[in-house]
Amino acid sequence: EKLREKGHRITALFRGPEGSPVLPLWCETVVDDEILIPPEQPLTPYVKDCDIVVAGWIYQLPELKETGKPVFYWEQGHESLFGDLPDPDTAMGIRASLNGCYRSGIPIVSVSDFVSRILKARYDITSPVITNGLDIEKYVPKFQEKKDDVRILLVGNPYLRFKAFDDAVKALD
């Protein structure tokens, strides 16, 4: 939104099957163009008019590096970054692929200090932090009297160790 306010044209790209939404249905970000790229198509022709590309998926980095466009990757906490690899038989391949992506030379920024520290520890990457934006005009805490019926939402996959659901449940107890 801040880029649009400064006159930039924003295009959202998503590679997926026909009929897939380019932006998540919950996303309120306004873009100038939404482009759905068929799964087998390269990204190169779709970024040719872009001044800069913000990658949101780690595995796009090798391909985006070949476009010749300025690219940076915004690491928001890919689960494999934390070592939560689902299948021991594929772990070595995933680690090798991630190593190639993270060491591609594409600048990386992190969503949090924690993610930045993990990148430094695992890949010796120093990454500045750009946190998720929060519209404080829209999201204002509502203070209420204490209620008996309190609901708390834990977001994330409870089977991923780095999400620390066990700790969250203990804290709730």
Side-chain angles (χ1 to χ4, degrees), residues 75-90:
E75 176 60 75
Q76 296 192 59
H78 187 281
E79 55 213 36
S80 297
L81 174 64
F82 302 97
D84 283 342
L85 303 174
D87 179 6
D89 295 333
T90 60

Side-chain angles (χ1 to χ4, degrees), residues 6 26 32 36 47 51 73 77 92 94 111 145-146 156:
K6 293 179 183 275
W26 49 262
D32 297 295
L36 179 62
V47 300
D51 297 317
Y73 171 57
M92 292 299 284
I94 291 171
V111 72
E145 299 279 326
K146 186 176 177 182

Side-chain angles (χ1 to χ4, degrees), residues 15-62:
R15 189 180 332 195
E18 188 175 336
S20 297
V22 173
L23 293 170
L25 299 175
W26 49 262
C27 182
E28 295 179 6
T29 301
V30 176
V31 298
D32 297 295
D33 296 304
E34 293 184 32
I35 300 173
L36 179 62
I37 304 170
E40 66 283 350
Q41 293 291 314
L43 294 171
T44 305
Y46 296 95
V47 300
K48 69 179 183 326
D49 295 329
C50 296
D51 297 317
I52 189 166
V53 178
V54 180
W57 185 242
I58 186 69
Y59 295 116
Q60 295 171 329
L61 298 189

Side-chain angles (χ1 to χ4, degrees), residues 90-128:
T90 60
M92 292 299 284
I94 291 171
R95 284 192 176 108
S97 179
L98 286 174
N99 192 48
C101 292
Y102 285 117
R103 298 189 189 284
S104 67
I106 289 178
I108 299 174
V109 297
S110 299
V111 72
S112 68
D113 290 329
F114 178 71
V115 169
S116 182
R117 288 192 307 272
I118 294 290
L119 285 170
K120 183 66 174 169
R122 289 191 183 253
Y123 298 99
D124 197 30
I125 293 170
T126 301
S127 62

